[in-house]
Amino acid sequence: MGESMNIGVIGAGRIGMVHAESLAHRGPGARLAAIADVDPDTARTAAERFGIPRAVSDHRAMLEDPAIAAVSICSSTDTHARLIIEAAESGKHIFCEKPIAHDLGEIDRALAAVDAAGVKLQIGFNRRFDANFQRVRQAIASGEIGEPSLLHIISRDPAPPPISYIRVSGGMFLDMIIHDFDMARFLIGAEVAEVYAVAGVRVDPAIGEAGDVDTAIITLKFENGVLGVIDNSRRAAYGYDQRVEVLGSLGSASVGNNYPNAASISDAQSVRRDLPLNFFMDRYAESYTAELRAFVDAVRNDTPVPVSGRDGRIPVVMGLAATLSHREGRPVALSEIT
Amino acid sequence: MGESMNIGVIGAGRIGMVHAESLAHRGPGARLAAIADVDPDTARTAAERFGIPRAVSDHRAMLEDPAIAAVSICSSTDTHARLIIEAAESGKHIFCEKPIAHDLGEIDRALAAVDAAGVKLQIGFNRRFDANFQRVRQAIASGEIGEPSLLHIISRDPAPPPISYIRVSGGMFLDMIIHDFDMARFLIGAEVAEVYAVAGVRVDPAIGEAGDVDTAIITLKFENGVLGVIDNSRRAAYGYDQRVEVLGSLGSASVGNNYPNAASISDAQSVRRDLPLNFFMDRYAESYTAELRAFVDAVRNDTPVPVSGRDGRIPVVMGLAATLSHREGRPVALSEIT
Amino acid sequence: MGESMNIGVIGAGRIGMVHAESLAHRGPGARLAAIADVDPDTARTAAERFGIPRAVSDHRAMLEDPAIAAVSICSSTDTHARLIIEAAESGKHIFCEKPIAHDLGEIDRALAAVDAAGVKLQIGFNRRFDANFQRVRQAIASGEIGEPSLLHIISRDPAPPPISYIRVSGGMFLDMIIHDFDMARFLIGAEVAEVYAVAGVRVDPAIGEAGDVDTAIITLKFENGVLGVIDNSRRAAYGYDQRVEVLGSLGSASVGNNYPNAASISDAQSVRRDLPLNFFMDRYAESYTAELRAFVDAVRNDTPVPVSGRDGRIPVVMGLAATLSHREGRPVALSEIT
Amino acid sequence: MGESMNIGVIGAGRIGMVHAESLAHRGPGARLAAIADVDPDTARTAAERFGIPRAVSDHRAMLEDPAIAAVSICSSTDTHARLIIEAAESGKHIFCEKPIAHDLGEIDRALAAVDAAGVKLQIGFNRRFDANFQRVRQAIASGEIGEPSLLHIISRDPAPPPISYIRVSGGMFLDMIIHDFDMARFLIGAEVAEVYAVAGVRVDPAIGEAGDVDTAIITLKFENGVLGVIDNSRRAAYGYDQRVEVLGSLGSASVGNNYPNAASISDAQSVRRDLPLNFFMDRYAESYTAELRAFVDAVRNDTPVPVSGRDGRIPVVMGLAATLSHREGRPVALSEIT
């Protein structure tokens, strides 16, 4: 596959715009050839903004276009599995936002379609492409900190999403913490055997009334004996808080947050700096481009994608196990979830 | 009670020497009047070193001395409860190293003796007097970070103790993590309802052979809904690692480690600083003096001690619950432990 | 002036490529319509890389093109003044890399031509657009740290340029420190009255043999009484070191370096992080785009440019004064330089 | 000289109390045997506080006491030289606070008396014994950062002293910056050849009316080619600011300030920590004990003192040179000052 690989983006919402911008301006090596949105105006506006040759309201027009080699699925979660199947059957390579689905049966049907079609599928766990987490992964993979024994992931949003979103989100374990489940696997390079989740409503009672939680601690037992813990909150007053720490036999690797500047102000009250980058669009801007570049490279060079369909499935299993653990107040082995 | 309050130290081992040094040189407001050790030479050497007027091999000589108002019990753990009872019956105020005992019945008999005698008993949870942890406690107590929701305690030793010590230590949960159980209660100002412990042998197989673990993560559910997690290791290659972090509704408070200097070296490899203060004798030197000063103040002013006998009992309950949780692989309510 | 403002870049060397990349991919609001380089192959290669419609070897072809509204002069320093005059006479708005020239007469002729033509001229002091320095400027301008009294600028390159470059550079004060002279004026918002420079050869004797210095400290007396100091080195083993600190009556503002990641590694030797971003292409990548965006905005909205021709002249005066101060071993008033 | 070395302290003011406390409680290896103060009540109160056997109002009683081996001169600056001579003639070893005197003739007479008597004289440049500055010195002396080329010292007080003190202080260069002149020599391990001082009144006009300055930058040219700069202010709103940085051929060493705790608070406004330790009594507490311990060791082992009389003289020369430089607006060679 040559220089002229064309990609279409399906879904011109927030994350779709992020991908369109990466493809249009940040040069991951492919051409943004078409954009689809169920709302024709949204598709057209996006096309104008990024100079995209083609805007469609029905993604099938894109799938039927032989000039399009790959699609990026950025529509709502409930459409992911179906679109993966359609795209695979059209012979398109697929980049799909996380999660594939909340139902393992749906996921398995999607992955089977991908296998049958022999196309590539990469899942959008963009944090794997962040410079901070890659540096920690490197510290582990290179042996710089020896054999890992303890993992701690901190993941806190600046503020909870609207209650309307909470209601359809699949719950905190599947919606928010799924990123951290992936990060745990990515950093340690091993599978989790068992999870134990405690959680509660500490941020907003309305979240509890909607049947969800907003604060959680999940303990992980990895198959290789590493112990891990994830702590999460839907609200950190100081902004987006994304840190990890791994203790190994030779030392530890940890990452702090990213800041808008490196300035420090000292006055008669305190020595202080500005708040961390506020949310994922700023914090992970570069990783969104990097994951697309990796996908394009994998397609063009016919090499394995860095985040496979299986990598998309397992965090859902972990989210279901954590949900069950929290509901039943007991550790849950991943093998219980099928 | 006037200027001339006399204290005797029982046990001239490592921690006894720390207390003797505080009393002799750092002026917590009392006079180090006597030292007792079962080994007469050890007692005598300590007396010479710190200019202590009286050295005895039998602590009962100290307890019979009407000039002595209080004792600091620094002998081995298995003698604590018995010595508390003897000291209480002699009308002495008591400062006792942690833990009181590993057996709740023993603890309760000791506390009953203290109550019956009407003397004061303070338990040696020195970390409560450390400037770092006090600053975090203040951030919570003053409302600076709002209502707490998440607590994380990191507690790692530079290297495990000898296996001979491991064998008689009561296990990692009662020997090492007991400090962190106390810290959890101190910082949040509330009681823990349930613990869940995962643990393993990651540092040294010989620790496993001795029936203990060396790496652990303990999840805490507080009665007030706060969620907490403690992570522990018997070995951190970079030294003693003692940090905490609390997330509240208005922000977070966290403490890093203490360092021997504030120097930073940059060369062609890295930007770096020297390792943190290596172990508790250096890291907590000032808190050992501060806790004795607080005890002396409480005795002289007849005010409540800052760390009560009950404060000594509860972390043992937590340690027993965590031990049970680890053994049975399930969350354990503190109410199960009686 | 509407959406379709076209810009041409003159000079397809290193900094020309930075500007071309900003214009092509980072969207400062203008279209990169042409590129000129005395070497036709270089121009053509650049045009292909960035999809530029027109590549010329003679910049005059660009200046004669009525569709081109503005040029970015990225050629060698000795051509700047002449190209400014030519561009002004062609009615083009001008963005010009620093310095305008090393000779004040040449500079004045160029500025006169700009004035006569009524076009806009912005000088490429890109550091003014860096988030770190802007935060410090904001701390001063907003009164956050009160009235400034002391300024310290640290500016160190990772390694000296080739001796061949040193020979034609105009000397360290005019080549390297000119950026810091501009930064001093930018941060304090006032003019310097007097400089005193001490300098020596500490990095490489060959630099001294070429008639230049590689290490310098320049003291600044501002007209408003602020005192400042700049320290410079052509080599910092740990990479590019770009920091400033301002002390004011209410506090201080300082900036550290920027790093490739926020990871910290602790092992048995040290607690460390990776080296700072190595050189100006990485460190100031975003500021190069931001200065072009500001230029385009000024042209399109007919507002003043943020870095004027006068802003380009004064640092040259300071550089000449510092050179004289170093040569004669005495403080030199800027009014001496005409 | 054996265990029982007795020291007397002359002057029971602020710094005398610091020394008395070190000798009484912090165990530098000598016995605090007597204290002298021209005010008998002050002497008696101090004696009671620290359990000092003897309190006198006339220091000559102390000098005549054959049991006293050494004295620590903590009286006002104008008495230092005379007391050194008297103590030397009495055969006492001498620890003397800085500066010896502001007049070089007085200093030379005092040093001659010390030489003639063959006693030891150590000057109280306590910062040399601070862990931070020692770490930087070690980085240079060990070759960790290669050959030094640039030095920067930041030295700022939290607030200016009373105007009454300013009037008799000898001026900022001799009173405050003398510590930094010593630090420059200590860190680089070489002598300064020339200084250039710019200074002004930025903190309080009353300081200017008293004939002094409150803000200064001093450039140093070392004999070995190292370039240095000291920046000073009589006021930093955020507290005591004491930092240094040295750039060498292999890297740099720098020290930040010391803080009362290692806590960090994040809220909706900023990420911040408490202010640095406020002033020299807190910041340098340990270095005051360490310098006395070094003195006692030198006397008892008959080894050279770490800060000699010559080390006390040279910073005064530097202070006089800086004063002259500021007055005449030109660089001043130290060889001009005799």
Side-chain angles (χ1 to χ4, degrees):
Chain A
M1 193 162 295
E3 274 294 326
S4 58
M5 174 177 158
N6 287 322
I7 296 195
V9 169
I10 302 176
R14 187 168 59 176
I15 194 70
M17 287 299 89
V18 171
H19 286 208
E21 215 264 330
S22 283
L23 289 163
H25 291 313
R26 291 169 183 271
R31 199 167 74 101
L32 174 50
I35 190 152
D37 199 277
V38 288
D39 179 49
D41 284 347
T42 301
R44 202 157 37 233
T45 304
E48 273 161 25
R49 177 164 162 207
F50 294 112
I52 310 172
R54 190 175 184 197
V56 297
S57 61
D58 187 339
H59 65 277
R60 283 172 295 191
M62 188 187 287
L63 296 182
E64 286 161 6
D65 183 345
I68 302 257
V71 294
S72 169
I73 300 175
C74 301
S75 49
S76 63
T77 295
D78 59 318
T79 67
H80 288 180
R82 178 172 55 82
L83 288 172
I84 288 174
I85 293 170
E86 289 184 35
E89 290 176 347
S90 302
K92 307 302 185 199
H93 298 293
I94 304 157
F95 183 97
C96 183
E97 277 303 309
K98 66 93 208 168
I100 303 175
H102 293 155
D103 179 86
L104 292 180
E106 265 189 79
I107 293 175
D108 290 342
R109 280 188 294 279
L111 299 193
V114 167
D115 274 357
V119 297
K120 293 186 186 293
L121 168 65
Q122 180 174 329
I123 307 301
F125 283 121
N126 60 294
R127 296 183 194 175
R128 290 189 178 208
F129 298 87
D130 176 75
N132 288 357
F133 302 127
Q134 289 206 325
R135 183 64 182 85
V136 175
R137 173 60 193 149
Q138 178 200 334
I140 296 166
S142 68
E144 191 176 3
I145 60 167
E147 282 297 306
S149 56
L150 277 178
L151 164 71
H152 184 211
I153 296 177
I154 295 115
S155 181
R156 301 167 187 167
D157 285 352
I163 296 299
S164 58
Y165 176 84
I166 293 277
R167 281 206 190 89
V168 300
S169 68
M172 193 187 188
F173 298 106
L174 280 166
D175 174 55
M176 176 178 171
I177 311 181
I178 193 169
H179 268 296
D180 307 305
F181 290 143
D182 181 64
M183 184 55 60
R185 295 179 66 238
F186 170 64
L187 291 177
I188 300 302
E191 298 299 339
V192 167
E194 190 179 288
V195 302
Y196 175 69
V198 295
V201 178
R202 304 291 297 174
V203 172
D204 185 352
I207 293 173
E209 287 156 19
D212 203 358
V213 291
D214 54 34
T215 305
I217 292 176
I218 301 107
T219 303
L220 311 174
K221 290 170 81 166
F222 285 80
E223 290 179 354
N224 65 0
V226 170
L227 303 176
V229 65
I230 300 168
D231 83 52
N232 297 83
S233 173
R234 284 284 195 185
R235 184 187 61 203
Y238 48 89
Y240 200 39
D241 194 353
Q242 300 275 296
R243 290 171 288 149
V244 308
E245 174 167 346
V246 180
L247 175 69
S249 53
L250 301 180
S252 76
S254 62
V255 286
N257 285 309
N258 285 9
Y259 288 81
N261 60 63
S264 173
I265 309 289
S266 301
D267 63 15
Q269 275 72 51
S270 65
V271 176
R272 63 177 180 273
R273 66 184 306 180
D274 292 343
L275 294 179
L277 290 176
N278 187 257
F279 208 12
F280 66 96
M281 303 288 277
D282 289 323
R283 172 66 183 82
Y284 289 120
E286 289 178 23
S287 71
Y288 282 116
T289 299
E291 67 175 357
L292 279 181
R293 183 174 297 123
F295 171 65
V296 170
D297 286 351
V299 170
R300 289 169 63 181
N301 304 320
D302 195 16
T303 51
V305 294
V307 193
S308 69
R310 184 171 169 272
D311 290 326
R313 184 186 197 274
I314 295 175
V316 177
V317 173
M318 295 172 76
L320 295 169
T323 306
L324 183 62
S325 170
H326 171 238
R327 191 173 303 140
E328 301 194 349
R330 63 174 179 90
V332 170
L334 262 57
S335 57
E336 286 190 49
I337 309 296
T338 54
Chain B
M1 190 162 294
E3 274 294 328
S4 59
M5 174 176 156
N6 288 322
I7 295 194
V9 169
I10 302 176
R14 187 168 59 174
I15 194 69
M17 288 300 89
V18 170
H19 286 208
E21 214 264 331
S22 283
L23 290 162
H25 291 314
R26 292 167 182 270
R31 199 168 74 101
L32 175 50
I35 191 154
D37 198 279
V38 288
D39 177 51
D41 283 347
T42 300
R44 202 156 40 233
T45 303
E48 273 161 22
R49 176 164 161 209
F50 294 112
I52 310 171
R54 190 173 183 197
V56 298
S57 61
D58 187 339
H59 65 277
R60 283 170 297 191
M62 187 189 287
L63 296 182
E64 286 161 8
D65 183 344
I68 303 260
V71 294
S72 169
I73 300 174
C74 302
S75 49
S76 61
T77 296
D78 59 316
T79 66
H80 288 179
R82 177 172 56 83
L83 288 171
I84 288 174
I85 293 171
E86 289 184 36
E89 290 175 348
S90 303
K92 308 303 187 202
H93 298 293
I94 304 156
F95 182 98
C96 182
E97 274 304 309
K98 65 93 208 171
I100 303 175
H102 293 154
D103 179 87
L104 291 180
E106 265 189 80
I107 292 174
D108 290 341
R109 282 189 292 280
L111 300 193
V114 166
D115 274 356
V119 296
K120 292 185 187 297
L121 168 66
Q122 179 174 329
I123 307 302
F125 283 121
N126 60 294
R127 295 182 194 176
R128 291 189 178 208
F129 299 87
D130 175 75
N132 287 357
F133 302 126
Q134 290 207 325
R135 183 64 182 82
V136 176
R137 173 61 193 149
Q138 177 199 333
I140 297 167
S142 68
E144 191 175 4
I145 60 167
E147 281 298 305
S149 57
L150 278 178
L151 164 71
H152 185 211
I153 297 176
I154 295 116
S155 180
R156 302 167 186 166
D157 284 353
I163 297 298
S164 57
Y165 175 85
I166 293 277
R167 283 207 188 87
V168 300
S169 67
M172 193 188 189
F173 298 104
L174 280 165
D175 173 55
M176 175 178 172
I177 311 180
I178 193 168
H179 269 297
D180 307 303
F181 290 142
D182 181 65
M183 184 54 60
R185 296 179 66 237
F186 170 64
L187 290 177
I188 301 302
E191 298 300 340
V192 167
E194 191 178 288
V195 302
Y196 174 69
V198 294
V201 178
R202 305 289 297 174
V203 174
D204 184 353
I207 293 174
E209 288 156 20
D212 203 357
V213 290
D214 53 35
T215 303
I217 292 176
I218 301 108
T219 303
L220 310 175
K221 290 170 80 167
F222 286 80
E223 291 179 353
N224 64 0
V226 170
L227 303 177
V229 64
I230 300 168
D231 83 52
N232 298 84
S233 173
R234 284 287 196 186
R235 182 188 63 203
Y238 48 88
Y240 200 39
D241 193 353
Q242 300 275 296
R243 291 171 289 149
V244 308
E245 174 166 346
V246 180
L247 175 69
S249 53
L250 301 180
S252 77
S254 63
V255 287
N257 285 309
N258 286 8
Y259 287 82
N261 61 61
S264 173
I265 308 289
S266 301
D267 63 15
Q269 276 70 53
S270 65
V271 176
R272 64 177 180 270
R273 63 184 305 179
D274 292 344
L275 294 178
L277 291 175
N278 189 256
F279 209 11
F280 66 95
M281 304 289 275
D282 289 323
R283 171 68 184 79
Y284 290 120
E286 290 178 22
S287 72
Y288 283 117
T289 300
E291 67 174 358
L292 280 181
R293 183 174 297 123
F295 172 65
V296 170
D297 286 351
V299 170
R300 288 169 64 182
N301 303 320
D302 195 16
T303 50
V305 292
V307 193
S308 70
R310 185 172 168 274
D311 290 327
R313 185 185 195 274
I314 295 176
V316 176
V317 173
M318 293 171 75
L320 293 170
T323 306
L324 184 61
S325 170
H326 171 238
R327 192 173 304 141
E328 302 193 349
R330 64 175 179 90
V332 171
L334 263 58
S335 57
E336 287 189 48
I337 310 296
T338 54
Chain C
M1 192 161 295
E3 274 293 328
S4 59
M5 171 176 160
N6 288 322
I7 296 194
V9 169
I10 302 176
R14 187 167 59 173
I15 195 69
M17 289 298 90
V18 171
H19 287 208
E21 214 265 330
S22 284
L23 290 162
H25 291 314
R26 291 168 184 271
R31 198 167 74 100
L32 174 50
I35 190 152
D37 198 278
V38 288
D39 179 50
D41 284 347
T42 301
R44 204 158 36 233
T45 304
E48 272 161 24
R49 176 163 161 211
F50 294 113
I52 310 172
R54 190 172 182 197
V56 298
S57 60
D58 186 337
H59 65 278
R60 284 171 295 190
M62 189 188 287
L63 297 182
E64 286 159 9
D65 183 345
I68 303 257
V71 294
S72 169
I73 300 175
C74 301
S75 49
S76 62
T77 295
D78 59 318
T79 66
H80 288 180
R82 177 171 55 84
L83 289 171
I84 288 174
I85 294 170
E86 290 184 35
E89 291 176 346
S90 304
K92 308 302 186 198
H93 299 293
I94 304 156
F95 183 98
C96 182
E97 275 304 309
K98 66 92 205 170
I100 303 176
H102 293 155
D103 178 85
L104 292 180
E106 264 189 81
I107 293 175
D108 290 341
R109 281 188 293 279
L111 300 193
V114 166
D115 274 356
V119 297
K120 293 186 186 293
L121 167 65
Q122 179 173 328
I123 307 302
F125 283 122
N126 61 293
R127 295 182 194 174
R128 290 190 179 208
F129 300 86
D130 176 75
N132 288 357
F133 302 126
Q134 290 207 324
R135 184 63 182 84
V136 175
R137 173 61 193 150
Q138 178 199 332
I140 296 166
S142 68
E144 191 175 4
I145 60 167
E147 283 297 306
S149 57
L150 277 177
L151 164 72
H152 185 211
I153 296 176
I154 295 116
S155 181
R156 302 169 186 164
D157 284 352
I163 296 300
S164 58
Y165 175 86
I166 293 277
R167 282 207 189 88
V168 300
S169 69
M172 194 188 189
F173 297 106
L174 280 166
D175 174 55
M176 176 179 171
I177 312 181
I178 194 169
H179 268 298
D180 307 305
F181 290 142
D182 181 65
M183 184 55 59
R185 295 179 66 238
F186 170 64
L187 290 177
I188 300 301
E191 298 299 340
V192 167
E194 190 179 288
V195 302
Y196 174 70
V198 295
V201 177
R202 305 290 296 173
V203 172
D204 185 353
I207 293 173
E209 288 156 20
D212 202 359
V213 292
D214 54 33
T215 304
I217 292 177
I218 300 108
T219 303
L220 311 175
K221 290 170 81 168
F222 285 80
E223 290 180 354
N224 65 0
V226 170
L227 303 176
V229 64
I230 300 169
D231 83 52
N232 298 83
S233 172
R234 284 284 195 185
R235 183 187 61 203
Y238 49 88
Y240 200 40
D241 193 354
Q242 301 276 296
R243 291 170 288 149
V244 308
E245 175 166 346
V246 179
L247 175 69
S249 53
L250 301 180
S252 76
S254 62
V255 287
N257 285 310
N258 285 9
Y259 287 81
N261 60 62
S264 172
I265 308 289
S266 302
D267 63 15
Q269 275 71 51
S270 65
V271 176
R272 64 177 180 271
R273 64 184 306 178
D274 292 343
L275 294 178
L277 290 176
N278 186 257
F279 209 12
F280 66 95
M281 304 289 275
D282 288 324
R283 171 67 182 80
Y284 290 121
E286 290 179 23
S287 71
Y288 283 118
T289 300
E291 67 175 356
L292 280 182
R293 184 174 296 122
F295 171 65
V296 170
D297 286 351
V299 170
R300 289 169 62 183
N301 303 320
D302 194 17
T303 50
V305 293
V307 193
S308 69
R310 185 171 170 272
D311 290 328
R313 185 186 196 274
I314 295 175
V316 176
V317 173
M318 295 172 75
L320 294 169
T323 306
L324 184 63
S325 170
H326 171 238
R327 191 173 305 141
E328 301 193 350
R330 64 174 179 90
V332 171
L334 262 57
S335 57
E336 288 190 48
I337 309 295
T338 52
Chain D
M1 191 162 294
E3 273 295 326
S4 59
M5 172 177 158
N6 288 324
I7 295 194
V9 169
I10 302 177
R14 188 167 59 174
I15 195 69
M17 288 299 89
V18 170
H19 286 207
E21 215 264 331
S22 283
L23 290 162
H25 291 313
R26 292 168 183 271
R31 199 168 73 102
L32 174 51
I35 190 153
D37 198 279
V38 289
D39 177 51
D41 283 348
T42 300
R44 202 155 40 231
T45 304
E48 272 162 23
R49 176 163 161 212
F50 294 112
I52 310 171
R54 189 172 183 198
V56 298
S57 61
D58 186 338
H59 65 277
R60 284 172 296 192
M62 189 189 285
L63 296 182
E64 286 161 7
D65 183 345
I68 302 260
V71 293
S72 168
I73 300 175
C74 301
S75 49
S76 61
T77 295
D78 59 316
T79 67
H80 288 179
R82 177 172 55 82
L83 288 172
I84 287 174
I85 293 171
E86 290 184 35
E89 290 175 348
S90 303
K92 306 303 186 201
H93 298 294
I94 303 157
F95 183 98
C96 183
E97 275 304 310
K98 66 93 209 168
I100 302 175
H102 293 155
D103 179 87
L104 291 180
E106 265 190 80
I107 292 176
D108 291 342
R109 282 189 293 280
L111 299 193
V114 167
D115 274 357
V119 296
K120 292 183 187 297
L121 168 65
Q122 180 175 328
I123 307 302
F125 282 121
N126 60 294
R127 295 183 195 175
R128 291 190 180 207
F129 298 87
D130 175 75
N132 287 357
F133 301 127
Q134 292 207 324
R135 183 64 182 83
V136 176
R137 173 62 193 150
Q138 178 199 332
I140 297 166
S142 68
E144 191 175 4
I145 59 166
E147 282 298 306
S149 57
L150 278 178
L151 163 72
H152 185 211
I153 297 177
I154 295 117
S155 181
R156 302 168 186 166
D157 283 354
I163 297 297
S164 57
Y165 175 84
I166 293 277
R167 283 207 188 86
V168 301
S169 68
M172 195 188 187
F173 297 105
L174 280 165
D175 173 55
M176 177 178 171
I177 311 181
I178 194 169
H179 268 297
D180 307 304
F181 290 141
D182 181 65
M183 183 54 60
R185 297 178 65 238
F186 171 64
L187 290 178
I188 301 301
E191 298 299 340
V192 167
E194 190 179 286
V195 302
Y196 174 70
V198 295
V201 177
R202 305 290 298 174
V203 173
D204 185 353
I207 292 173
E209 287 155 21
D212 203 358
V213 290
D214 53 34
T215 304
I217 292 178
I218 300 108
T219 302
L220 311 175
K221 289 169 81 167
F222 285 81
E223 291 179 354
N224 65 1
V226 170
L227 303 176
V229 64
I230 301 170
D231 83 54
N232 297 84
S233 173
R234 285 284 195 185
R235 182 188 61 202
Y238 49 88
Y240 200 38
D241 193 354
Q242 301 274 299
R243 291 171 288 149
V244 307
E245 175 166 346
V246 180
L247 175 69
S249 53
L250 301 180
S252 77
S254 64
V255 287
N257 286 308
N258 285 8
Y259 287 82
N261 60 62
S264 172
I265 308 289
S266 301
D267 63 15
Q269 276 70 50
S270 65
V271 176
R272 64 178 180 270
R273 62 183 308 178
D274 292 344
L275 294 177
L277 291 174
N278 188 257
F279 209 12
F280 66 94
M281 305 288 275
D282 289 324
R283 171 67 183 80
Y284 289 120
E286 288 179 24
S287 71
Y288 284 117
T289 300
E291 67 175 357
L292 279 181
R293 183 174 297 124
F295 172 66
V296 170
D297 286 352
V299 171
R300 288 169 63 181
N301 303 321
D302 195 15
T303 50
V305 292
V307 194
S308 70
R310 184 170 169 276
D311 290 326
R313 185 186 195 274
I314 295 175
V316 176
V317 173
M318 295 172 75
L320 294 169
T323 305
L324 184 62
S325 171
H326 170 239
R327 192 173 303 142
E328 302 194 348
R330 63 174 180 89
V332 171
L334 263 59
S335 57
E336 288 189 48
I337 310 295
T338 53

